[in-house]
Amino acid sequence: MNITFLGAGYVGLVSGIMLSHFGYNIQFIDQNSQIISSLKNSKLHIYEPKLDSYFLKSVQLGSVEFTDNYNDLRDNTQVIFITVGTPSLASSGNTNLSYVFDAIDSIITNVSSDCIIVVKSTVPPGTCQSIADYLSPKVLGITIVSNPEFLSEGNAVDDFLNPDRIIIGSDDHRSAAFIEQIYQPIVEKQNKLIPIIKTNFATSELIKYASNTFLATKIAFINEMANLCEKIDADIEQLSLGVGLDARIGKAFLKSGPGFGGSCFPKDILSLSKLAKFYNLESCITNATITANEKRPSDMVRKIHNILDDNIDGKVIAILGLAFKAGTDDIRNSPAVEIIKLLCNKGAHIQSYDPAVHICHDLPQITYTRSAIGACVNADALIIITEWPEFTELDFDHIYTILKNPIIIDMRNILNAKELRSKNFKYYAIGQKY
Ligand code: UGA
């Protein structure tokens, strides 16, 4: 079967490469010629654990091809996945759907045979219906399916192979059944039943927004609890466990930290809030989650300020972690970037290290080091912002000798407090009294 992906970013690339292992011929089209030339040279432009080996196998098998020209869209393609970006518009916060509609226009121009367009990009409810309305007077034989993705960066390959559910939204039963068939190899591979929910466009589109917003709300809530824990000498780790072990609540996404970031949560919850506003509905919970998370970096800086005796100006601070979470080189909406900006405004000099992010163009004023140890040299404090596992393996005896002050602020609670305190560090975690 011939399948085309319009958009070779995160979602398109992971989904397309993985589908190519089920015997489908995958064409990737992306207007970014740098991305395409990198892929043609067998080099992935994104960092995603496990993806590289699948990609190289697909290249060897000849089951993937790449082009930067929409006019190369194969006329005999049966399914076209739209996996272009849907960023927020800076002016209004509404979702920018121009890339989606550019992709649709390219399909109208280049495809003359019947095909199914699958919208995998995260789009506000109503978009698939608008696409169907836009297409219907112009072309016959093209149907639309909404099929949101639930891949999380750093775990995308496993998420693809082992989904909690597959959502298929369409008003055309045959198209929905066809797309369900595409995922059959995944369903067969797993020993457990993978629920497939077939529904209408709007429900499918909204499931994606509601899922991301609910998860983000869990995080915002647990961060609020962490603030309280710090005041009353309660422990957020035990609290999260105690709350999460209630099967009705669940343990996932109850890890307190510097706030959620990335290219999805902040954008999607804003979009959901805009959607409710459009219908004159109040979205108290969604808006509270947005506000709470926007405040999180300044809460973190206030904490640093207190620990450094209200004196950040002129201090050298080692920051470990720039990515918005471990397992990715993505710094979009990364709490680390926001926290560093605030610290720089207060006169701090930052020495930072991240295993996957070597430079952040938004932060030209800071020093980038090639190792965690390098970042710690002569620093007044060491702050962990991203939970890279390698930070737990550091030689803290050595770090003790190179820090100017033995202060560690662990914003992900990944280090062993007892051990570090026994080595005479002043160790501060999140959600624990200090
Ligand atoms: C998220 C969703 O988890 C995916 O299901 C979805 O497909 C994706 O968005 C998307 O819409 O494309 P992702 O943004 O890659 O995936 O990352 P998450 O693992 O969900 O983490 C998001 C943020 O929440 C990160 O900043 C992370 O550090 C933070 N987080 C997560 C916490 O602070 N605590 C937690 O317990 C979990």
Side-chain angles (χ1 to χ4, degrees):
M1 185 190 304
N2 290 326
I3 299 179
T4 298
F5 278 79
L6 298 184
Y10 217 89
V11 176
L13 209 53
V14 174
S15 309
I17 290 171
M18 299 314 291
L19 283 179
S20 75
H21 285 270
F22 299 138
Y24 306 125
N25 297 314
I26 309 291
Q27 178 190 39
F28 291 96
I29 308 185
D30 197 298
Q31 285 175 317
N32 184 327
S33 45
Q34 264 179 323
I35 288 181
I36 294 300
S37 83
S38 161
L39 293 170
K40 279 184 172 169
N41 289 320
S42 304
K43 223 175 149 332
L44 286 177
H45 62 284
I46 57 168
Y47 172 87
E48 179 60 42
K50 300 188 185 172
L51 189 62
D52 219 31
S53 60
Y54 279 102
F55 172 60
L56 292 177
K57 262 186 236 158
S58 308
V59 172
Q60 274 162 14
L61 289 169
S63 54
V64 285
E65 62 177 65
F66 312 97
T67 171
D68 58 10
N69 191 342
Y70 273 162
N71 294 331
D72 293 338
L73 213 161
R74 292 189 292 221
D75 190 32
N76 62 353
T77 200
Q78 286 147 287
V79 178
I80 303 173
F81 280 88
I82 307 242
T83 48
V84 294
T86 50
S88 299
L89 285 165
S91 50
S92 60
N94 291 327
T95 307
N96 179 357
L97 291 172
S98 64
Y99 305 110
V100 171
F101 278 91
D102 287 350
I104 298 296
D105 283 336
S106 77
I107 297 170
I108 296 173
T109 315
N110 294 292
V111 176
S112 55
S113 46
D114 292 359
C115 71
I116 303 171
I117 296 177
V118 184
V119 180
K120 214 173 219 332
S121 302
T122 301
V123 292
T127 305
C128 285
Q129 189 56 55
S130 308
I131 296 173
D133 295 343
Y134 182 72
L135 281 172
S136 67
K138 302 184 180 74
V139 259
L140 290 171
I142 297 186
T143 51
I144 313 290
V145 169
S146 160
N147 172 225
E149 59 90 15
F150 298 98
L151 309 177
S152 58
E153 293 186 24
N155 202 45
V157 169
D158 289 338
D159 286 343
F160 186 88
L161 292 173
N162 192 14
D164 288 335
R165 75 302 207 186
I166 295 171
I167 309 292
I168 298 176
S170 185
D171 52 8
D172 183 83
H173 294 303
R174 279 183 56 205
S175 301
F178 197 86
I179 299 308
E180 182 179 357
Q181 253 336 93
I182 288 184
Y183 288 109
Q184 206 47 43
I186 297 177
V187 176
E188 278 163 16
K189 241 176 156 221
Q190 300 302 332
N191 285 327
K192 63 172 197 189
L193 189 72
I194 296 175
I196 297 187
I197 298 182
K198 289 204 220 141
T199 180
N200 65 8
F201 289 145
T203 311
S204 169
E205 292 165 323
L206 190 56
I207 285 172
K208 171 63 192 245
Y209 280 100
S211 302
N212 274 3
T213 304
F214 193 82
L215 292 172
T217 302
K218 275 184 102 175
I219 300 168
F221 178 78
I222 208 68
N223 285 341
E224 196 165 297
M225 291 300 105
N227 289 345
L228 193 55
C229 284
E230 290 180 9
K231 297 290 177 202
I232 65 167
D233 200 11
D235 181 314
I236 193 65
E237 296 302 320
Q238 289 174 347
L239 181 130
S240 291
L241 187 65
V243 171
L245 280 171
D246 184 326
R248 294 170 301 175
I249 296 172
K251 283 188 280 183
F253 283 71
L254 284 183
K255 184 88 186 131
S256 177
F260 58 80
S263 63
C264 307
F265 282 6
K267 163 180 81 75
D268 293 349
I269 58 176
L270 186 62
S271 193
L272 187 64
S273 162
K274 294 278 167 192
L275 183 77
K277 198 168 175 201
F278 179 81
Y279 288 104
N280 285 324
L281 295 170
E282 270 190 80
S283 34
C284 307
I285 294 170
T286 307
N287 290 341
T289 298
I290 295 171
T291 310
N293 199 59
E294 279 173 356
K295 276 176 77 273
R296 195 70 184 153
S298 53
D299 287 350
M300 295 294 98
V301 170
R302 198 168 314 113
K303 183 177 168 108
I304 299 167
H305 206 256
N306 289 343
I307 292 169
L308 296 183
D309 296 328
D310 297 340
N311 187 11
I312 288 179
D313 194 12
K315 291 271 160 58
V316 177
I317 298 182
I319 300 275
L320 297 190
L322 290 167
F324 81 97
K325 64 173 190 176
T328 175
D329 60 356
D330 198 339
I331 49 169
R332 286 176 288 178
N333 295 304
S334 171
V337 175
E338 282 315 304
I339 291 168
I340 291 173
K341 279 185 186 164
L342 293 171
L343 288 173
C344 288
N345 288 345
K346 288 185 178 293
H349 174 73
I350 306 294
Q351 301 178 160
S352 97
Y353 169 73
D354 186 290
V357 183
H358 304 305
I359 189 144
C360 168
H361 295 292
D362 253 14
L363 298 171
Q365 69 276 45
I366 71 170
T367 303
Y368 297 90
T369 62
R370 292 157 74 116
S371 67
I373 297 291
C376 295
V377 175
N378 234 0
D380 291 285
L382 161 58
I383 303 179
I384 294 183
I385 308 191
T386 313
E387 71 281 23
W388 286 102
E390 69 174 68
F391 297 156
T392 62
E393 309 285 319
L394 293 170
D395 178 351
F396 284 98
D397 290 324
H398 181 49
I399 288 180
Y400 188 85
T401 64
I402 58 174
L403 283 175
K404 204 190 290 170
N405 292 312
I407 295 175
I408 296 180
I409 305 171
D410 178 1
M411 295 190 178
R412 299 284 187 166
N413 294 3
I414 55 171
L415 302 183
N416 186 327
K418 219 169 160 187
E419 195 183 310
L420 289 169
R421 287 189 184 126
S422 76
K423 291 182 193 292
N424 291 325
F425 279 100
K426 289 180 185 155
Y427 173 81
Y428 304 90
I430 295 288
Q432 284 159 10
K433 199 163 196 278
Y434 63 93

